[in-house]
Amino acid sequence: MARDDSDARRRVRLCTWIALGTAVLGVVLLIWPRLLPWGGPWVQLALGVLTLVFAFRARAIGTREVEDYDGRLSLLAALAGFPICFFAGQGAFIVLTTLGR
């Protein structure tokens, strides 16, 4: 049963905007990796994971506790989080394999 709760709406909004912010930062660092020369892939990977966590947290709260929930923004953030994790993970893997040489 869905409740119309202003506190739940506030939590959904906060999680969604945090997810979108981390997604934008992650995409910017994927496009221009020279902005963060030290620790780049690891920061990108952390941003991708945070994006996914906050996006799916917003979707979980919204579907459970908010009536008339429209989760398009959190879905957009989640869809941005997957490529961020993929490409940052690829970069982190390359860094790890070059350390063993």
Side-chain angles (χ1 to χ4, degrees), residues 33-92:
R34 302 269 185 227
L35 291 176
L36 190 64
W38 186 80
W42 307 107
V43 173
Q44 292 169 352
L45 195 57
L47 285 171
V49 169
L50 283 173
T51 299
L52 289 173
V53 167
F54 281 114
F56 285 116
R57 181 69 185 148
R59 293 188 67 76
I61 294 170
T63 55
R64 226 180 312 131
E65 299 181 18
V66 176
E67 198 167 325
D68 301 342
Y69 174 65
D70 180 21
R72 288 182 283 185
L73 285 177
S74 59
L75 179 63
L76 176 68
L79 289 175
F82 286 115
I84 293 169
C85 285
F86 176 76
F87 290 114
Q90 182 182 10

